[in-house]
Structures are given as C-alpha cells and as structure tokens.
Amino acid sequence: MEAADPRNSVPPGRLAPFFGFVAAVLALAVLISAGPVAGLRDRLPDLPAAFWTMAVLAVVCDARPFVPPGRRESSAVFPSTCFTFAILLGWGLGPAVAVQAVAVVVSGWRMGHAVWRTGFNAAQYACALGAAYGVTRLGPGAIFDGGRLHWTDVAAVGGATAAWFAVNYGLVSSAIRLRFGDRWWPSVRLGLAYELLSTGSLLLLAPVLVAAARASAALIPLVLVPLFAVYRMARLSTEQEQLAALDPLTGLPNRKALLAEVAEQVHLHAERAARGAPDAHLALLLIDLDRFKHVNDALGHAVGDRLLVEVSARLTDVVRDGDLVARLGGDEFAIVVPGLTGTDEARALADRVVVALAEPVSLDGLPLDVGGSIGIAVFPEHGEDFATLMRHADVAMYDAKHRNDTVAVYAAESDHNSAERLSLLADLRRVLESGPAVPDPVGARGGDGAALPAGAALPTAVGGRTNGEPRGGGPGRWRFRRRRERPEVRHDDKLINEIVTRADPIRRRAARSAVAEAAVQGPPADAPPAGRASAAPSGPESAAPSGPESAAPTEAAAPVRVRAVPGRDEDPADDPGEITMYYQPQIAIATGEVVGVEALLRWRHPRRGMVDPGELIQVAEQSAVMRLLTRRVVDDVVEQLAKWSAAGITLRAALNVSVRDLHTGEIADQIADRLARYGVRPDRLQVEITEGALMADPRRVLASISQLHRIGVGIALDDFGTGYSSLQHLRRLPLSEVKVDRSFVLGMADDPDDAAIVRSMIELAGALGLRVVAEGVEDERTWRLLHAAGCDVAQGWFHARPMPAEELAAWLARYRPVRPAVTADAEVPRRPTR
C-alpha cells in the first residue's frame, strides 16, 4: 500500500530532521492530550446521545473523504473536522482528541497512509484542538453550558477557530518544508486559499452543530443534508471542470488538462529527484501532423476530423498505462511520459509513435498517409515548469520539421528565439531607429573625401553629362527627373515641419546629422576634412593580382568615425552599436577593371563586437525589423552611389534583399523613390535574390522582380547552383547576371567535379546572354581558371576584402588593372575517364 503513495517516503538526506520534527509533534500531542484522554473513561457514562451521534458521524464520514480531482491526497477534505471541533466546544478536549484519533486511523487505513504519517496526522490534530481549547478557556467559562450567548462567547469561538487553523496549517507546512526543502513554499502558498475555504467552512459549521445538540440529538444528522449537498455540488463542479478539460472531438484531455497534469507530475518528479530515485525524469512530447492542411483542403473538414479521431486512437494505443495523451488544438497533440530514467526512453516512445502513424489511414476507401514531427523536452534537463517544457518541446518539433526529420530532442543551439536573440533583436531595432552613427557636417561627400556644399544638389554623371545637360531616352525611362528637381517645400509651422521630417527617413537623417554636427566640435580650418585621417594601418587591406602591371597596396587610410555626443541623460550601456555598409570590389576578369561592388552589411555591437551577418539576417527576417533594415541598406547604398558619382567614380552596386522584402512588394517602390531623390541612374543599382526566395512564393516574388526590371534595376541570381529548379529560373526571370556560389569556386582548382560544375554554369549562362560573377576567388590559380572558362567577373579576397566606402576610394586610387595571361596552370582540371 505504501508503494502506491510516493508521499509516504522521505528523501534520504532529510530523514533525521523530518522524523525528529514528527517525534517532537507526537510528544507535544501526548503532553497536551494525555490528561484529558485519561480522564475520559470516567466521563463516558455521562456523555449524552448528541456526543455519540457526532462521534459516529465523524468516523463514518472520514472513511470516505472528498479528494478534489487534480490535487494530491494531502488536499483531501475530512468532514470529521466539523464534528470533532463541535465536540471540543461542547464536551472538552479529551473527547474531541479521542474521536479525532479514531477518525484519522480509519481514513489513513482507507487511503493507504504509512504508520508514521497516520501518527503525525493524529498528533497535528491533537495540537490544533489543544490550541483551540486553550483559547476557549480564556473566555468567561464554558460556552455551551446553557444560557444565552454573549459577544465574548462569539469572540472565543472565532479565536478558537483561528487558533485551530493556524496550528494545523503551520505544522503541515513545517513538515513539507523539512521533507522537500526549498520547494515547500509554492505548494503551501497555492494551497492556502483552498484550505481556508474548505477546512474553514467545516470549522464554522461546528457551533451550529453544538446549538442543534442543545435542542435535540435528533437534529444532528440533519447536518448531513447540507454536507451532502455541498459534496454533490463539488462533484458536479468537478465534472464540469473535467468536461472543460476534454477535447470535444477526440475525447482526449486538452491544453488545460495538460497544464495541470504537467504541473502535478513536475512536483512528484522533483520529489523523486530529491530522493535520488532513478525514474525521476518526465518527458513532454509535442506532435504536429504533416500535410494535414492538404487533407482539409482536398477532402473537407469532416474527413479531417475523422482523421484526427483515428490519430488520437493510435496515440492512445501506443503509450503506456499512466501516460497522458492530449490534443492541443488543430493537428497538434502532446504526450506526457512520467517515470523515465533518461532521454533514450522518451525517444524510444517517439519512435513507436512514428511507426504507429506511418501506416495509412483508410477513410471511405481512400488511404491517407499520416506522418508527424515530434519534439521532445525532458524534465529537469530542459525545464522545470510547464511553460519552459512546452516551449522547448515546440522548438524541438520545429527543428525536426526544418531538418526533414521525424524526431528531435531539444537542443539549446536550435533555439533561435532565446533571450539572447530577443535582446539582439531589440538592439537591432534601436540602432535602426536611431539613424546613422556617422554624421556628415559638410553635406554630401564622395568616397575620396571630396565634399559638396551643404544643401547642394548632387550631380549625376550619366555618360559624361551632369544633371543640367540633356539626356537621351524616352520620357518614361527618365520620369524620375521631375520628381528629383521638385523644390523642397517647408511650412512656416514648426510642428508641421517636425511631423513631415519624422515621416520621411531622408529628412529625419538629415535632421539628426545637423544635431550631431552641433554637438561635435568642428576641426580647425587647416585640418583635413572630417571622416579622413592621416594614420594608416600596419598591414595591407587587400591583395592585387601579381604581374608587372599590378601594384599591391601596402597601406590604407583608417577612417575616423564621428559619433554623435550622447546627451547627459543617456546611459552608455544602452548604446545599440553602429551599422555600416562595407563594399567588396567586383573585377572584370578579361580587362582587370573594377566594374562594381557588392554592398555587405556590418553591425558592430558594443558588447558582442562584430555580429555575424548570417545571424543578423536570421534574427531580422523573423520580425518586422527586416523592413527597417532593408530601408536603411537601400538608403545607404543609393546615397553612397550618389556620392561616388559626385566624385567622378562610376560603379555598379549590388545589394541583397530578403524573402520578406520581395513578398511585401514595397521594395520596388522604395528603390525607385531613393533613386529619384538622389538622382542615381537605375542601372547603377543591382538587386541580388536567391533561389530559395523564389520558391517561397513565386507569384509575388516574380511580381516584385518584374517591377524592378521595368524601373531599370538589374537583377542577379545569387548562390547559383545551390537552390531549386535553376534552369527554369534562368529561362523565366528577367535576369542580367548569375553569381556562382563560392562553395564551388573555392574548390575548383583542386576538385575536378567543382571545376566541371563551374564551367557548365558559365557556359549555360553565357548561352543565355547573362553575365557571370564568381564569388570566393581567393588565389591566382582560380582567377586564371575562371578566365580560361570564360567567366566575366571575379569577386573575392584575391582582389580585395570588403571595406568601408572611405577605404574603397583610397583602394581604387591605388589599384592598377591587370589582365590574366594564358598559362599552363590555367587548364581546368578534369575527372579521369571511368
């Protein structure tokens, strides 16, 4: 019997203090009640029928206590409390302790309590009755010995009730603390309200019983009627709660029941862990059916409901006795598996679930394939409460989906929504909303430091002409000119100007730059322009092709970044860092000329240093911050193109856009607006997309790409060869360029397979009239092999690493074009004939 109740045992490390406390309570109870109970023998013949009636009812009612569902047996309600407290008020301490002890023994036997537990329960009740009796003796005398009740009697009854409850609950709470240590307070605090309502109601019923006994003993059994009514109402309420905890379609427990079960099991398994038991692990399995939406869409929701019922039956059949299967909603199920020795047992159950779901379900003669992704979280390794276990199981389930696997156990590295990443996302939002960190107090500045007067219009070099010169082309192609030349209208009302400035990113950034300029002390008149420095780094920043016509740079000017001076109320620890754009040159292989650059995002975080670009994009793409990030990148790149044009530098800049940008459809309008504002020719800008972005939603992505193509912006297919259906994309999309992924280029000098793949890509793109850019060119041999294969453009560390715009201008001034010569080492390696 004891083995069925885990609360009969005590953790090994707490045996001495706990049983010492039990012995002390037993000794105190004997000291309090020994005298009154010993004198009870002489009083038995004089006790009235009312006493015997209450005594019999107390023992009989405790033979079947009320245990609320979802609670442990320690929360059971014992009706004997009201009868023994009434006996205390009417006939003293000795009879009350004796009847209570008999009732405790009967209830302990019925509920399978250990001997020490039954003894402690009897002792705690004896101490509580003794405290209540002491309070009653503080009054004017016997309370119910005849005559009229006074307010002092009512106060004595109230004080006795409070004393009984305080002593009883205090002893129980102390015992729980000694048994379970730091985990005692949550259970005690959560159970206080319930105990006040249940036990307090029984105690307050005792004076009514005594008053009825003074009139006639026959009235005492009538109290069973309200007790039974309360009992039935509690049962009906419990049944309603149970119905509310069931899924109406499958009859399985729902999320509410799952929460209660996990909370209960976590407490029990924490006790097992404290005892050092091997089966102290609890697993939560989260199951999401695959392709269930297809069933609903194709066959209707009625068939989908029948499928869910069949799945619930299979899950119920495969689990063990004692495991809980719940339906969370839709096509999500959960299984609670208690009493495990480790994660391997949970995974073994998950494998059995996979096998059970693998067999097709036949509905109306149509076999339906059912599969699922299962995530596993285990207590206590992956969490010690329901919310944490549920979130980690959900993370593991989606990890299984992304890896095209069926089962995954939670791993911290798979949790992309950790607190650290959420903090990083918040910092990213702040740095994007705060505007650029580098103000330009003298107006537009070219990459080589040449400045234009503040407020002057940016000239756009188009085939050697400036904005004031006539240009060829139809009116539709250069329709941005009228918008660009429209004068800026400023309202006399400062409030309206402030609203317009905050709504327009360009004006907002200009306003912040003006504030920063006022906060930073300007350089002397004979000092070099802001943003430049005479110091140079100790090592080279890039490598140029070897040969007689090349001049490898040995130093590069280090940029000095001017940051706005923080206000007095700003906390430096709240600095979100600085976002800048780096540019990597793209070299025409045949001529050695620099034909373009790729814009690359960099974020220097104040605590983490340079944030990995892949992590930055992964964090931003999952939220609306991606929109702010894209807006910042487009603004910075187009503005930089305008500065380069003003300085006489003609380059094409490529920037990457995400799937989220292409889905919204705003990217084309945003780019068109920025090109018009800065007066940049559309063919100076190129947008790079990946094949994965195309597959996410081809219709909307194609619409955005077509709009960009109509504007005149070039479209490049990035990471070519690593995505899906590449040939179909090359045929249908308005592309101007394909970029061979660096994973193929890096190994082509040594791997015949990589060389063959690169050569085939170049030939295919050339046949379709597309320019080919090879990424990851890091040595001279690869550069020469690409030239021999007919590749158009090279990009990689062999020529230059990514660098800020200021360093790029200096690098361009030093760079000398070089053409690759055809040598013996330029022969593309080929696989031996099989």
Side-chain angles (χ1 to χ4, degrees), residues 670-688:
Q670 180 185 352
I671 288 177
D673 179 73
R674 295 307 177 266
L675 291 173
R677 283 179 180 269
Y678 287 105
V680 176
R681 287 175 49 178
D683 59 358
R684 296 285 177 85
L685 188 67
Q686 183 165 276
V687 171
E688 295 184 1

Side-chain angles (χ1 to χ4, degrees), residues 138-165:
L138 296 176
I143 299 177
F144 295 102
D145 57 353
R148 186 176 180 181
L149 292 176
H150 300 283
W151 69 269
T152 54
D153 299 320
V154 177
V157 171
T161 302
W164 189 101
F165 186 87

Side-chain angles (χ1 to χ4, degrees), residues 206-580:
V208 179
L209 282 175
V210 177
R214 291 175 57 186
S216 172
L219 297 177
I220 295 176
L222 296 180
V223 77
L224 295 178
V225 177
L227 282 178
F228 179 76
V230 172
Y231 179 84
R232 287 302 301 165
M233 290 179 62
R235 283 292 182 190
L236 291 174
S237 176
T238 300
E239 292 174 0
Q240 292 295 327
E241 290 182 3
Q242 290 176 340
L243 290 176
L246 293 179
D247 174 54
L249 176 63
T250 62
L252 296 176
N254 58 13
R255 183 183 293 269
K256 179 181 178 182
L258 178 70
L259 189 155
E261 177 68 14
V262 172
E264 176 75 9
Q265 292 294 339
V266 162
H267 186 91
L268 294 177
H269 284 71
E271 297 172 5
R272 295 180 184 178
R275 297 195 305 268
D279 58 343
H281 293 79
L282 170 72
L284 177 62
L285 278 64
L286 194 61
I287 306 168
D288 184 80
L289 301 183
D290 297 332
R291 302 175 301 278
F292 179 73
K293 183 178 184 297
H294 298 166
V295 176
N296 275 339
D297 294 343
L299 303 178
H301 289 271
V303 176
D305 290 345
R306 292 169 57 192
L307 179 61
L308 291 175
V309 172
E310 176 63 25
V311 169
S312 65
R314 292 189 180 187
L315 294 178
T316 305
D317 292 340
V318 80
V319 299
R320 312 169 307 174
D321 294 337
D323 297 346
L324 176 73
V325 181
R327 182 190 174 210
L328 304 182
D331 60 343
E332 279 193 341
F333 295 84
I335 302 177
V336 181
V337 191
L340 300 180
T341 57
T343 306
D344 293 339
E345 291 187 50
R347 191 173 185 96
L349 174 61
D351 292 336
R352 294 199 300 270
V353 171
V354 171
V355 173
L357 297 180
E359 183 180 353
V361 178
S362 179
L363 296 177
D364 298 332
L366 179 65
L368 300 177
D369 288 329
V370 180
S373 301
I374 304 177
I376 303 175
V378 179
F379 169 89
E381 289 87 345
H382 304 148
E384 297 186 355
D385 56 76
F386 172 79
T388 305
L389 288 172
M390 190 69 182
R391 188 176 70 83
H392 289 172
D394 191 62
V395 169
M397 185 263 292
Y398 278 104
D399 184 34
K401 281 186 178 293
H402 292 159
R403 293 191 288 108
N404 293 323
D405 201 351
T406 52
V407 180
V409 180
Y410 172 76
E413 56 268 20
S414 301
D415 193 351
H416 303 309
N417 295 317
S418 62
E420 182 181 0
R421 292 213 170 191
L422 292 177
S423 174
L424 190 66
L425 181 62
D427 290 342
L428 178 59
R429 177 182 288 275
R430 285 195 299 145
V431 74
L432 291 174
E433 291 178 345
S434 64
V438 184
D440 196 348
V442 295
R445 182 179 300 282
D448 60 351
L452 293 177
L458 288 172
T460 303
V462 182
R465 295 183 297 273
T466 61
N467 290 335
E469 298 178 356
R471 291 183 290 190
R477 180 172 177 83
W478 303 110
R479 60 184 180 277
F480 305 126
R481 180 180 178 183
R482 291 189 297 272
R483 294 174 58 184
R484 175 169 48 84
E485 294 175 351
R486 184 173 56 196
E488 180 180 0
V489 179
R490 297 190 61 85
H491 202 277
D492 294 336
D493 193 325
K494 294 183 178 180
L495 178 60
I496 294 179
N497 281 329
E498 182 178 357
I499 294 174
V500 173
T501 299
R502 291 184 176 181
D504 189 334
I506 303 299
R507 292 188 179 186
R508 185 168 64 247
R509 293 171 61 183
R512 290 192 178 119
S513 297
V515 173
E517 176 187 357
V520 179
Q521 182 179 0
D526 56 348
R532 305 294 301 162
S534 57
S538 58
E541 287 292 324
S542 61
S546 61
E549 299 179 9
S550 64
T554 57
E555 61 181 8
V560 177
R561 299 199 175 275
V562 184
R563 298 182 65 93
V565 177
R568 294 181 180 179
D569 297 333
E570 294 182 3
D571 185 2
D574 293 336
D575 182 13
E578 174 187 5
I579 278 192
T580 56

Side-chain angles (χ1 to χ4, degrees), residues 624-637:
V625 174
M626 193 66 215
R627 183 180 179 183
L628 298 175
L629 185 61
T630 302
R631 183 178 295 274
R632 167 67 71 85
V633 170
V634 172
D635 287 349
D636 288 352
V637 172

Side-chain angles (χ1 to χ4, degrees), residues 61-198:
C61 290
D62 266 16
R64 191 182 179 186
F66 175 63
V67 181
R71 293 181 179 270
R72 295 180 296 277
E73 291 180 351
S74 61
S75 300
V77 179
F78 297 94
S80 63
T81 301
C82 69
F83 296 108
T84 55
F85 194 63
I87 292 173
L88 173 74
L89 296 177
W91 294 283
L93 179 61
V97 171
V99 173
Q100 186 70 72
V102 175
V104 167
V105 171
V106 172
S107 63
W109 171 72
R110 288 286 305 227
M111 301 179 71
H113 291 170
V115 175
W116 66 262
R117 186 174 178 185
T118 301
F120 175 77
N121 289 340
Q124 82 184 46
Y125 282 124
C127 293
L129 290 170
Y133 182 74
V135 173
T136 60
R137 303 307 297 173
L138 296 176
I143 299 177
F144 295 102
D145 57 353
R148 186 176 180 181
L149 292 176
H150 300 283
W151 69 269
T152 54
D153 299 320
V154 177
V157 171
T161 302
W164 189 101
F165 186 87
V167 172
N168 184 73
Y169 203 70
L171 291 176
V172 172
S173 302
S174 300
I176 293 176
R177 181 178 184 181
L178 289 173
R179 287 181 68 191
F180 306 117
D182 296 336
R183 296 188 302 277
W184 71 282
W185 173 241
S187 60
V188 170
R189 177 178 55 83
L190 293 175
L192 180 59
Y194 173 77
E195 294 293 338
L196 280 174
L197 181 62
S198 58

